[in-house]
Amino acid sequence: MKPFAYVKAATPDEAVRACAARPGARYLAGGTNLVDLMKLGVESPEVLIDVSGLRLDGVDELPDGSLTIGATARNSEVAAHPLVRGRYPALSQALLSGASGQLRNAATTAGNLLQRTRCTYFQDTAKPCNKRLPGSGCPAIDGAHRELAVLGHSVHCVATHPSDMAVALAALDATVLLHGPDGERTVPVTDFHRLPGDRPERDTVIRPDELITAVRVPPAPEGSVSRYRKARERASYAFALVSAAVVLDVRNGVVHHAALAFGQLAHRPWRARAAEEVLLGAPAHPDTFTRAVDTELAAARPLRDNGFKVTLARNLAVGLLAELAAENA
């Protein structure tokens, strides 16, 4: 690991100013991904700006019923919060399915959103990778890509985003609150992460020096139920092969509201808008669920060794929809 400077920020403004003053600076809170990448040589910031002491760790209800989750709130604390467990079970389930208990005690909300891909070519500095070194190539396309993208990938990158939490937040229509040199702005979680296109080195739409201050989750649709499920190689402490989050409201046997998001199929959490169009106003029946999910996954372009992820995603989503419809009927 290369030497680096360290700054402890006292306020969000101070953190943003410190970041703007040192090109290549990185914010540090839990450090569960960033420090690993520094050890591998993937990241080598000149300065780390510690934002863990900022008062951004609360989970607060707003008058309109929405919930604000601070950027430095720990994943374990968010997962266990009564308002999260009671109103957004898919979010709590997603957080509890990610990493080990020790890591969840350190990992933060913002860090979870900003974690980098687990593509082995990205993590190995001896190999080319357009995401790590633009223009160097993407050996994963013809190499080891069993766990990589089947949707939205490009000839430049087939990496996937590894977060569980972001998938649930995408289905819950959450927004990301950002604080930067030009003030504050919000970005829907569904628009926060990018598809690779010809700029795979850019994971998100966050601007230079901007700091995530919170995530805001709107009130869950009245009468809806939600769930997150993850398919992985082993029962614990593994990244998903495929995951799905569903928010569903069924009234008189008809789908009144449906939100579906997939994880580990693309460079970003994949909100299944085409499937939702099929579901809305249709009978809550297994045939409807299958038709909706198949409509979404018709856009999949599997690589040589990861076509199984399409079938896995289909079965996962159809099963979740059927379970929630039975509970919500």
Side-chain angles (χ1 to χ4, degrees), residues 81-239:
H81 196 284
L83 289 177
V84 175
R85 294 179 60 188
R87 298 182 185 178
Y88 312 101
L91 177 56
S92 179
Q93 292 158 8
L95 286 164
L96 290 174
S97 72
S100 66
Q102 293 93 332
L103 285 170
R104 291 196 297 270
N105 287 337
T108 64
T109 299
N112 196 312
L113 290 174
L114 294 173
Q115 63 183 303
R116 310 291 313 266
T117 183
R118 262 60 182 183
C119 175
T120 54
Y121 298 97
F122 173 75
Q123 294 182 325
D124 186 348
T125 58
K127 293 184 170 63
C129 170
N130 284 328
K131 179 176 283 295
R132 177 170 34 75
L133 185 62
S136 61
C138 179
I141 292 175
D142 295 318
H145 53 237
R146 181 175 177 272
E147 299 176 355
L148 301 181
V150 297
L151 284 166
H153 53 79
S154 76
V155 297
H156 302 285
C157 182
V158 293
T160 52
H161 192 267
S163 173
D164 295 294
M165 182 189 74
V167 179
L169 290 175
L172 291 166
D173 291 315
T175 55
V176 183
L177 280 62
L178 298 160
H179 183 84
D182 299 324
E184 297 182 345
R185 66 182 180 117
T186 61
V187 178
V189 167
T190 49
D191 296 333
F192 183 72
H193 298 93
R194 297 178 65 257
L195 292 180
D198 60 358
R199 296 290 305 276
E201 74 277 13
R202 294 182 58 196
D203 289 344
T204 71
V205 299
I206 195 167
R207 296 168 183 162
D209 314 326
E210 278 187 326
L211 174 72
I212 296 176
T213 55
V215 169
R216 185 160 296 160
V217 191
E222 187 176 353
S224 66
V225 289
S226 71
R227 187 162 297 162
Y228 178 82
R229 185 158 295 161
K230 173 177 180 176
R232 48 190 165 185
E233 297 280 16
R234 59 177 186 266
S236 66
Y237 199 19
F239 291 98

Side-chain angles (χ1 to χ4, degrees), residues 263-309:
Q264 288 283 0
L265 293 187
H267 201 253
R268 67 183 185 193
W270 189 270
R271 182 69 181 263
R273 303 287 188 187
E276 292 170 12
E277 286 187 17
V278 174
L279 290 167
L280 192 61
H285 187 274
D287 291 345
T288 303
F289 303 148
T290 300
R291 181 162 54 90
V293 175
D294 283 347
T295 298
E296 187 69 40
L297 295 176
R301 293 182 291 125
L303 304 170
R304 183 195 61 229
D305 295 330
N306 66 0
F308 76 97
K309 295 182 76 170

Side-chain angles (χ1 to χ4, degrees), residues 312-328:
L312 192 56
R314 179 179 186 268
N315 294 341
L316 200 65
V318 171
L320 268 181
L321 287 163
E323 286 179 25
L324 290 177
E327 294 176 16
N328 194 225

Side-chain angles (χ1 to χ4, degrees), residues 61-74:
E61 184 180 20
L62 300 181
D64 68 353
S66 60
L67 207 63
T68 296
I69 301 170
T72 60
R74 305 293 167 174

